[in-house]
Amino acid sequence: MSAVRPVADPRAFKDNATLVLEDPVLRRNFRDAMAYLADRRAAQFPDSDAFGRLRTLGETIRRHALSRLPELLETLEANLRANGVQVHWAEDADDANRLFLDIARRHRATGMVKGKSMVSEEIELNHRMAEHGIDCVETDMGEYILQLDGDRPSHIIMPAIHKTREDVARIFAERIPGAGYTTDVEELIAIGRRTLRDRFRDATVGVSGVNFLVAETGTLVLVENEGNGRLSTTAPDVHIAITGIEKVVAKLEHVPPLFTLLTRSATGQAVTTYLNLIGGPRRDGERDGPREVHLILLDNGRTQAYREERFRATLQCIRCGACMNHCPVYARVGGLSYGTTYPGPIGALISPHLSSLDETRDLPTASSLCGACGEVCPVGIPIPDLLVSLREAARQHRPAARQHGALKGQGTAGSIAEALAWKGWRVLYSHPRLYRLFSWCATRLRRWTPASQGGWTRTRAPLIPARRSLRERLAERDASARRHREFHDTRS
Amino acid sequence: MSTARDAILSRLRAAAPATPSPPPDIAAHYAGMPADDARVARFVDRARGWRAEVIETDATHWPQALAAVVAAKELRLLLAGAGTALSDGIAAAVPATRRRWYDAPIETLRPLLFDTVDAGITTARGGIVETGSLVLWPDAAEPRTLSLVPPLHIAVLRTSTLHDTLHHAMRAERWADGLPTNALLVTGPSKTADIQRLLVYGAHGPKQLVILLVRDGDPR
């Protein structure tokens, strides 16, 4: 059992990461889980050419949709309305929560059953509804475990990946009345199923996220394995779906390739148990299904990402989590360290748009730029390039970075000392005489190099200049070769 | 919220490119896939791989196969749709005391559905060879919860309705021209691996899936 609880604040990233790195249980959990998910994905894409073709198709679908985003959203809205779905728009988390509250109050709901939705995490729906006496219960097994324990998801697909079965056994025994302590996973799932069934049967309002929105048919597409997504959207009287405005695709035929890319990249499954296409509320004569279906389209910083072409690519994301599973930094520090709703490489790209670059400025640096995230991304988002762009934007060294005028908190990671250091470097490197003087001094005065060099020496030996610079050594070598040659010449 | 709508859309319009990025050629992608001649066998194999029980039968004998399932699994109450192509066969195979028609709204049936019924039987509109999946289009006679709430789901699938991929099914049946209120792909019983990545069947949906595969001709 790990007692480590990283803080839900991206400004605490470095402290959070240190906490997790010192916890052997958490480290093992993340390492094992990421290796497992990466292996499973690899087994689904044995042929890299076939993967490349499918990925190009997925990327084309998403780029096409984003290039027509305003038009497709209007088509989607019209078709959803024709199907009887009520469409709402929300600028931010407050807007979205107000919409949820209005609908719940209209139906005198005291609780909601929730399918898994990262966007609902983004707007902190559970906490906000609790303030108004509305009890939201998570029904995805992983999310349910976390809710009982007052914890947060550490992965967007496998939220409770940092918990061991012993953790779950203790949480269930403590929090679920009548549940005994058992570490048998089948029994634990049976307890979760039984407890949540009562909630599904009695709930008035069900909440879900959405994986894809189809403009041409006005359809909500949900992908899942457990069946809680189907129950949340079918059993209650009212279904409220919430998602980001970027999830729309133009045509129904665009769904199958994206579905394949999603399930294979996320959990290494050729298919999930359920692909659920929701076309609207219960029609006359039908005997079940919600009487009202609402869709909340959330902006919350997405239009800002849309404004600059480079960062628009982040909106191609289909939330598979493959970039996390393959990130050597994520596998070590875990999802909780990032302190954001979306962790890992894609989280570092999305989060600045949701909050600001000021708060999330350390996240783009949590990458070795090894390129694995970009290689596995099923929709071809150039994640490593964008991480570099964000690092530049956070420091604003180069004028090119200033083109990214859309981002809040830009340039906030820069410090005067750092700016001066770079300025000094530029002067030295563009003036050969000055450079030679500097390197002569540095090599002659090497003995006085400080032993403590800030963050560098915390885990490494101090950097000490060599006895002679490379230029001097080359000059010496040339001189000795010349002497050698002259010696032989005189003898012959 | 129309102000939010207008503001969001106008920000997007201001930034949207003048010419859209090219559309994908979906048909070309799937046209390149090799055709499969042993499609029924492959479907059965894949479906079993997802822990579905597949019972091969034919158009006259499926009620007997159903009766055998009811006996073997000791089902006490099977829920089914009335007035479907399956209803007569179900009535013949299962005694009236052990079956019930889904003939009232969920508001009335809720306690029975959640607490008593131990199996639901539905028609499968089709099947997907590539993944061993069922295509379900719930309707007034066979509502959405019939294949969802009972712990056992029995589906009757005809081999003539198998398609190579979901893409082929959508295209051949022109789904884009008219979808029902709910359409589903179901692959095996519900499952979860949320506790320490250990796979457990029977998360929130059915714990078991039985497919009565009726041989009535070649796949499409």
Side-chain angles (χ1 to χ4, degrees), chain A residues 87-362:
Chain A
V87 183
H88 313 269
W89 302 71
E91 287 270 19
D92 54 20
D94 286 343
D95 262 8
N97 282 306
R98 220 168 10 248
L99 287 162
F100 271 103
L101 192 61
D102 285 350
I103 300 167
R105 282 191 171 146
R106 195 142 34 82
H107 292 274
R108 296 176 208 290
T110 54
M112 302 184 187
V113 286
K114 281 185 66 191
K116 188 164 164 41
S117 153
M118 290 309 296
V119 178
S120 77
E121 303 270 354
E122 192 182 316
I123 64 165
E124 299 184 324
L125 178 69
N126 298 0
H127 293 118
R128 303 294 297 280
M129 290 303 110
E131 288 165 12
H132 298 279
I134 295 169
D135 173 29
C136 292
V137 60
E138 296 287 351
T139 63
D140 172 87
M141 290 290 181
E143 294 278 358
Y144 179 56
I145 292 163
L146 297 177
Q147 188 177 35
L148 287 178
D149 199 35
D151 203 351
R152 293 180 293 126
S154 60
H155 191 275
I156 62 170
I157 300 290
M158 304 193 89
I161 210 154
H162 57 292
K163 302 276 191 212
T164 61
R165 67 166 109 176
E166 288 78 18
D167 294 339
V168 179
R170 180 192 55 78
I171 294 163
F172 276 17
E174 282 174 12
R175 304 287 165 146
I176 301 178
Y181 182 89
T182 172
T183 55
D184 182 303
V185 177
E186 301 252 354
E187 275 181 50
L188 287 169
I189 295 298
I191 293 169
R193 177 184 171 102
R194 221 170 28 241
T195 314
L196 291 170
R197 276 259 152 165
D198 293 339
R199 304 296 298 261
F200 281 126
R201 190 186 41 214
D202 303 332
T204 316
V205 176
V207 177
S208 80
V210 177
N211 292 96
F212 310 110
L213 297 162
V214 185
E216 81 170 329
T217 51
T219 306
L220 317 180
V221 183
L222 277 73
V223 177
E224 57 145 347
N225 281 308
E226 293 190 357
N228 66 311
R230 282 183 71 194
L231 278 163
S232 302
T233 58
T234 304
D237 242 16
V238 181
H239 168 206
I240 311 174
I242 177 159
T243 196
I245 51 171
E246 82 281 15
K247 290 279 174 71
V248 67
V249 294
K251 294 178 168 230
L252 186 65
E253 67 170 6
H254 296 173
V255 170
L258 291 178
F259 175 51
T260 303
L261 282 165
L262 174 61
T263 64
R264 292 183 187 207
S265 302
T267 49
Q269 292 175 276
V271 65
T272 48
T273 305
Y274 302 114
L275 175 71
N276 188 2
L277 309 179
I278 297 172
R282 188 189 309 195
R283 285 184 194 147
D284 283 347
E286 292 185 345
R287 298 197 167 98
D288 68 4
R291 293 183 186 280
E292 279 180 25
V293 176
H294 298 264
L295 173 68
I296 299 175
L297 290 165
L298 177 69
D299 180 349
N300 207 28
R302 287 163 175 83
T303 48
Q304 183 183 277
Y306 190 79
R307 251 157 75 177
E308 209 210 356
E309 207 183 331
R310 247 184 329 170
F311 284 91
R312 193 177 300 154
T314 60
L315 300 175
Q316 284 164 223
C317 178
I318 56 171
R319 304 283 191 265
C320 70
C323 59
M324 294 162 210
N325 305 345
H326 292 77
C327 176
V329 176
Y330 179 95
R332 280 161 185 79
V333 304
L336 297 173
S337 295
Y338 295 81
T340 47
T341 307
Y342 305 96
I346 192 67
L349 299 182
I350 299 171
S351 306
H353 297 284
L354 303 185
S355 51
S356 86
L357 195 51
D358 181 17
E359 284 176 24
T360 60
R361 64 189 181 201
D362 285 334

